[in-house]
Amino acid sequence: RFEWSPSADISGTEQEYLIRAELPVVKKEDVHVTFDDGMLTVSGERRRKEEEKKEKFHRLESFYGSFCRSFSLPENVDSAGIRADSKDGIVTIHVPKSQATPVRKSKEIKVQ
């Protein structure tokens, strides 16, 4: 298996940090988002459709297989409020900023 890394953009507003990962042709059920000790990890697998395996490819530029990206988050995040959604091949992870003392608990975030 080949491991690849999706490209990601990181931005922010006054209220939250936003991480957008490009994951075309990846079902949201195949994407896992976790937060552990200040690290946010996006992992999963892009699977090739069964009918594509019967085709004879002349050129293949798409990557398939497992992927994993990790991002170190700053201290001022509300880990309990982290959420993720998927639309048009982009998984957007919303990381709320917090003024309170950070709680560094492990958490798995369901992609909506």
Side-chain angles (χ1 to χ4, degrees):
R1 283 193 180 257
F2 178 78
E3 192 165 304
W4 60 282
S5 293
S7 60
D9 296 329
I10 301 171
S11 61
T13 66
E14 287 186 26
Q15 296 81 28
E16 67 182 355
Y17 297 103
L18 296 163
I19 300 171
R20 291 182 181 94
E22 293 185 16
L23 293 168
V25 199
V26 178
K27 295 179 183 177
K28 65 182 180 181
E29 297 83 19
D30 292 333
V31 178
H32 306 285
V33 180
T34 56
F35 176 78
D36 187 25
D37 195 27
M39 292 294 288
L40 184 83
T41 301
V42 181
S43 61
E45 185 174 2
R46 181 187 287 167
R47 303 170 199 267
R48 186 179 298 172
K49 291 181 184 176
E50 197 60 41
E51 60 269 13
E52 289 179 355
K53 290 183 180 178
K54 296 175 186 171
E55 295 176 22
K56 181 180 178 185
F57 285 96
H58 299 280
R59 184 178 185 138
L60 186 61
E61 294 184 356
S62 298
F63 294 108
Y64 293 93
S66 300
F67 61 86
C68 185
R69 288 288 308 263
S70 292
F71 306 92
S72 178
L73 297 180
E75 293 282 327
N76 67 329
V77 300
D78 173 13
S79 61
I82 298 173
R83 63 186 176 83
D85 54 63
S86 177
K87 183 179 180 185
D88 299 330
I90 306 287
V91 172
T92 303
I93 303 158
H94 303 263
V95 182
K97 294 180 180 178
S98 172
Q99 301 305 322
T101 305
V103 178
R104 305 296 242 182
K105 246 170 46 170
S106 295
K107 178 180 180 179
E108 182 160 346
I109 296 96
K110 183 173 175 153
V111 178
Q112 302 297 318

